[in-house]
Amino acid sequence: MTNRTISPNLARRVAVASQQLSGPQASSTSETILSTIQNLGCLQIDPINVVARSPLLVLWSRLGAYNVAGLETLLWDDKHLFEYWAHAASIVLTNDFPLHQLRMVNYVTGEAEWEKRYRRWMKKNKSFHQYILEELSQRGPLLHTEMENRIVEPWPSSGWNDNRNMTMMLQFMWMQGEIMVARRFGEGFGLKKQWALAEHHLPEWMDHEPWSQEQVVTEAAQKSLRALGMGTAVHIENHFIRGRYPGLRDVLETLKRDGRIHPIHIHNLPGDWYIHDDTLPLLEQLENGDWQPRTTLLSPFDNLICDRDRTELLFNFYYRSEIYTPKAKRQYGYYVMPILHGEQLIGRVDPQIDRKTKTLHVHAIHAEPDAPQTKVVRDTIRQSIEELAQFLGAKQIAYGETAPEAWQLS
């Protein structure tokens, strides 16, 4: 494929379609949940539950009111998925284990000061480490409260993890691939984790010969680019296994030479962009007018917008979470969900679910300066909010007064 130039609008459509956010929604089955995650690569885990846990919302944006039990079956019973670190703590694919294994093998083996500090701490707490391994081996999966805190030297910190010895030890062992989350308890992908030895949880992978660094980067870069639709080297670096693409420029040159990826220019957007060969049929389909837009709401941690700089560049949409911003200084709200309308991010919704009264509160709706202020758009936003309420099990929706005049829903 020779170099070509496309419009930003078409580039956005490729990005949205590659993220499974256009066209008719697939039926909600375990198979479609799995195929969606296969296309995305990972689902970021976040503890905030103002609306629903982020992995659940990311799937809802693509599948509608699916059965959450299907995701849990894929994770805990069928074990097609497991939890590990992608661009953040995430649900990832068991078939992608070799892409994550390299991080497990190399975790805290470097010369950075924090890595040295962690190694020193682990050495002093070797007996505590061994105790956890023996407990899980003999007793099977356990909650952290079912094990004793046999720390020798506490973990010192001025931050959130000060003296959280069991947490830090389990985190270290998880990152090294020694243990895995075997199940979660609590409402909606709860925070209470049951831990198991990795060799018991995913035994068929434990003797897998680790891939070389070049193998991992080659496969992960293609997976990242396919999920993005198109992107620059920086975008690929910041997606999927963020920051774990050593030698990426050389790998991209090899992939380009082999015809697996192709350069593509986006009118008026800077950077050397690429598109994967597998995505070319989608590009041609969209160029021929086969575009089926949707309107939906996105989790603040949705894969489409997890790279904030790329979101601003490609969608002209500046987005930052205000969860940790003092209330008086927030511009849009505590937990703000962007509104995706076709290939445009046209606004934001500030929702909160009251589970006791089964009420979805929509505190505010904000429009972007160039958003279409029409009744048709208002109705699609209303429908998206109603679909979210249905997914959450809300019986009613309470709208606040803050909204553009043309989008007033109260």
Side-chain angles (χ1 to χ4, degrees):
M1 175 183 177
T2 56
N3 286 6
R4 58 188 297 188
T5 300
I6 65 172
S7 69
N9 202 54
L10 180 57
R12 286 189 286 268
R13 289 184 177 184
V14 173
V16 169
S18 296
Q19 282 286 307
Q20 315 296 299
L21 286 164
S22 66
Q25 290 179 330
S27 57
S28 175
T29 64
S30 293
E31 289 75 17
T32 54
I33 292 171
L34 183 59
S35 66
T36 300
I37 301 172
Q38 286 170 339
N39 285 313
L40 298 179
C42 62
L43 301 176
Q44 181 175 339
I45 300 168
D46 189 85
I48 304 297
N49 199 23
V50 171
V51 178
R53 308 282 184 209
S54 187
L56 309 187
L57 288 175
V58 171
L59 290 173
W60 168 80
S61 296
R62 289 153 177 84
L63 300 174
Y66 68 99
N67 185 358
V68 174
L71 174 63
E72 294 174 342
T73 297
L74 290 168
L75 264 165
W76 315 130
D77 301 323
D78 298 341
K79 299 178 182 178
H80 291 310
L81 307 166
F82 69 100
E83 292 188 25
Y84 196 63
W85 197 271
H87 63 264
S90 301
I91 296 170
V92 298
L93 293 147
T94 304
N95 282 343
D96 285 342
F97 183 86
L99 302 181
H100 303 288
Q101 188 180 23
L102 190 64
R103 181 178 178 86
M104 298 174 184
V105 171
N106 294 329
Y107 188 63
V108 301
T109 59
E111 294 304 309
E113 189 54 41
W114 72 271
E115 293 177 289
K116 293 178 182 178
R117 179 188 177 199
Y118 225 145
R119 289 200 298 271
R120 289 193 297 267
W121 185 76
M122 286 297 299
K123 185 176 181 180
K124 291 178 180 178
N125 290 290
K126 186 176 180 180
S127 60
F128 183 29
H129 179 201
Q130 188 61 35
Y131 161 74
I132 293 175
L133 291 175
E134 290 173 358
E135 285 289 284
L136 295 177
S137 176
Q138 294 170 12
R139 298 170 60 194
L142 297 170
L143 301 171
H144 81 275
T145 53
E146 296 176 299
M147 294 180 281
E148 298 175 16
N149 183 356
R150 296 190 178 183
I151 197 70
V152 176
E153 180 173 310
W155 178 265
S157 169
S158 59
W160 68 270
N161 54 14
D162 185 43
N163 208 30
R164 297 184 66 177
N165 305 307
M166 181 67 79
T167 297
M168 295 306 295
M169 181 60 75
L170 293 172
Q171 172 80 4
F172 178 86
M173 296 171 71
W174 175 63
M175 291 296 292
Q176 276 201 316
E178 291 183 304
I179 61 175
M180 288 187 175
V181 180
R183 195 168 293 272
R184 282 178 178 263
F185 300 96
E187 183 180 21
F189 201 72
L191 299 182
K192 190 179 291 187
K193 302 174 188 174
Q194 188 182 59
W195 297 95
L197 291 179
E199 63 197 62
H200 293 171
H201 191 64
L202 297 177
E204 68 272 24
W205 286 103
M206 290 304 101
D207 294 327
H208 191 285
E209 184 68 27
W211 286 8
S212 69
Q213 181 174 283
E214 185 178 1
Q215 270 183 296
V216 170
V217 175
T218 299
E219 291 304 313
Q222 292 183 83
K223 194 173 186 71
S224 177
L225 184 57
R226 283 192 293 262
L228 289 166
M230 54 186 65
T232 67
V234 172
H235 300 153
I236 294 169
E237 175 82 27
N238 286 332
H239 202 70
F240 187 40
I241 55 169
R242 181 178 294 166
R244 307 201 318 257
Y245 295 90
L248 177 62
R249 301 281 177 173
D250 291 338
V251 166
L252 292 178
E253 283 300 313
T254 300
L255 289 170
K256 185 169 68 171
R257 188 168 57 248
D258 292 344
R260 298 301 297 147
I261 67 173
H262 309 280
I264 191 162
H265 302 288
I266 303 175
H267 186 63
N268 285 337
L269 292 188
D272 298 321
W273 294 69
Y274 299 96
I275 186 170
H276 198 276
D277 195 65
D278 293 345
T279 310
L280 291 182
L282 172 63
L283 175 62
E284 293 172 5
Q285 177 183 328
L286 294 171
E287 282 184 311
N288 291 330
D290 188 5
W291 169 239
Q292 301 178 63
R294 280 192 226 155
T295 300
T296 193
L297 309 179
L298 302 177
S299 160
F301 310 103
D302 193 277
N303 300 52
L304 181 70
I305 59 170
C306 62
D307 182 341
R308 308 305 196 202
D309 292 338
R310 180 178 183 269
T311 302
E312 187 174 0
L313 176 66
L314 184 57
F315 292 92
N316 192 30
F317 187 80
Y318 181 85
Y319 183 74
R320 297 293 185 274
S321 173
E322 297 182 306
I323 290 171
Y324 302 108
T325 303
K327 186 175 182 179
K329 295 184 178 181
R330 290 178 195 143
Q331 184 177 3
Y332 298 110
Y334 179 77
Y335 191 88
V336 172
M337 300 181 70
I339 304 169
L340 177 68
H341 180 67
E343 72 278 10
Q344 301 284 350
L345 292 165
I346 62 169
R348 310 154 204 251
V349 172
D350 176 17
Q352 182 179 5
I353 182 70
D354 184 331
R355 293 179 173 85
K356 289 184 179 179
T357 64
K358 296 187 181 299
T359 302
L360 177 62
H361 293 274
V362 179
H363 300 304
I365 302 174
H366 303 275
E368 289 297 285
D370 57 349
Q373 304 274 328
T374 67
K375 290 182 179 181
V376 171
V377 173
R378 179 199 64 190
D379 291 343
T380 61
I381 295 172
R382 181 195 295 275
Q383 181 178 348
S384 297
I385 292 172
E386 290 174 350
E387 289 172 355
L388 177 62
Q390 179 188 358
F391 175 63
L392 299 173
K395 302 300 182 185
Q396 56 189 340
I397 303 173
Y399 291 99
E401 296 181 0
T402 302
E405 185 177 350
W407 290 1
Q408 285 285 347
L409 299 176
S410 57

